Amino acid sequence: MTLTISKVPLSAIEEAKKLAAWTAVDKHVLPEHKVIGIGSGSTVPYVVERIVAQGPEVNKDRVFIPTGFQSKELIVDAHLSLGDVEQYPIIDVTIDGADEVDTELNCIKGGGACHLREKVLAEAADTWIIVADYRKNSQVLGTTYTQGVPVEVAPFAYAKVLQNLHHIGSPNAKLRLAKMKAGPVVSDNGNFVIDAPFDAEKMKDPYPLLAQIKMLTGVVEVGLFCHMAKAAYFGNQDGSVTVKWHDGKVDQIAGPQS
Ligand SMILES: O=C(CO)[C@H](O)[C@H](O)COP(=O)(O)O
């Protein structure tokens, strides 16, 4: 994988991702931050791009902690110093993408099957920031990301967890299958992923649902991130950025020019 982001004009959605990522880096990745968590997904390359643009002087004393294979490659390709959460269990700031974010900054994550490490890095961070395009900005989780809550499971337990998810209100929960390989998606941790859709009533208040799923034996981690983010940055089609804060405040700001 290469960090190079093509010079051809970006689509509106790519522009929105870039706006969110660049703005969040400008506001939250400060010169005094030395340990920085890098999330996963298609918005995160713009995070790394903006951090690199802060220059070698500030980056030479920093260490970057990845949430999975993809972000590890991004860090290495950008010639930034790679670390691990085992060495650095306290992180200054982690910036990550999300599949959907509600009004209280609860998120669905795990569309890329990285949510176990993503949650560890979110918890390890003094500040956890979400970056996304406008499509991810929702009132209630499950409105636009309808594939379901990603649930990472120990492979041998998947059939039992699937049955239990059917019983607790997700009759359409399914094992996630790979696109270019016969069989299941295998996470960076060697586990399987189940996608479990729940109705809006359950998704309106995701914390009890998170606790209920997490209690199922065989579940490793649940892609519901509740009450964790300090702020979520959404790039909009008109070049502005919507910032939703943990205290409910919402700002509409202009994106960076360059
Ligand atoms: O949770 C994730 C991976 O497990 C990603 O952060 C999420 O899928 C968002 O990705 P993108 O920036 O491509 O929309």
Side-chain angles (χ1 to χ4, degrees):
M1 175 178 303
T2 163
L3 175 68
T4 310
I5 294 170
S6 145
K7 294 285 179 230
V8 296
L10 297 176
S11 71
I13 288 167
E14 287 302 310
E15 281 292 355
K17 291 178 188 184
K18 186 173 93 170
L19 268 176
W22 283 23
T23 309
V25 169
D26 291 357
K27 304 272 182 206
H28 298 281
V29 183
L30 306 180
E32 62 268 31
H33 292 148
K34 299 299 178 201
V35 183
I36 297 165
I38 301 293
S40 313
S42 57
T43 314
V44 162
Y46 299 111
V47 169
V48 175
E49 181 184 53
R50 194 63 166 177
I51 289 173
V52 169
Q54 291 182 341
E57 195 49 38
V58 69
N59 282 317
K60 75 176 182 343
D61 299 327
R62 285 175 165 166
V63 60
F64 295 84
I65 318 296
T67 51
F69 181 87
Q70 179 223 356
S71 45
K72 186 169 158 187
E73 294 284 290
L74 285 172
I75 293 165
V76 170
D77 287 351
H79 306 291
L80 298 170
S81 302
L82 182 68
D84 197 280
V85 72
E86 286 173 57
Q87 302 162 274
Y88 298 96
I90 299 174
I91 296 174
D92 291 315
V93 56
T94 294
I95 304 196
D96 201 347
D99 297 302
E100 196 173 1
V101 186
D102 75 9
T103 43
E104 295 184 351
L105 301 194
N106 300 307
C107 318
I108 297 180
K109 287 187 52 57
C114 299
H115 53 287
L116 169 59
R117 284 169 191 248
E118 289 173 337
K119 201 176 268 190
V120 171
L121 264 71
E123 278 185 9
D126 287 341
T127 302
W128 186 55
I129 301 292
I130 302 161
V131 289
D133 65 75
Y134 54 91
R135 298 171 304 168
K136 316 290 182 76
N137 185 359
S138 267
Q139 300 284 315
V140 176
L141 297 181
T143 308
T144 55
Y145 190 80
T146 53
Q147 186 174 318
V149 176
V151 182
E152 181 160 347
V153 293
F156 79 93
Y158 93 87
K160 188 64 200 160
V161 174
L162 199 51
Q163 191 183 54
N164 285 336
L165 285 166
H166 293 161
H167 288 152
I168 67 166
S170 183
N172 296 320
K174 282 189 183 60
L175 184 66
R176 191 183 295 179
L177 297 178
K179 294 245 160 66
M180 301 292 283
K181 161 198 173 261
V185 165
V186 178
S187 75
D188 288 348
N189 317 302
N191 295 316
F192 292 173
V193 177
I194 292 172
D195 291 301
F198 287 89
D199 62 26
E201 206 44 48
K202 284 235 179 207
M203 297 301 285
K204 251 196 258 175
D205 188 11
Y207 188 76
L209 180 62
L210 160 62
Q212 192 181 16
I213 300 173
K214 191 129 183 198
M215 284 301 289
L216 301 175
T217 303
V219 169
V220 179
E221 195 47 80
V222 184
L224 287 171
F225 288 46
C226 300
H227 317 303
M228 298 183 85
K230 179 171 182 187
Y233 285 73
F234 302 95
N236 297 315
Q237 281 169 301
D238 63 1
S240 69
V241 176
T242 301
V243 191
K244 286 175 28 177
W245 294 93
H246 64 111
D247 60 3
K249 204 168 126 229
V250 179
D251 290 330
Q252 201 73 20
I253 60 177
Q257 295 308 304
S258 59

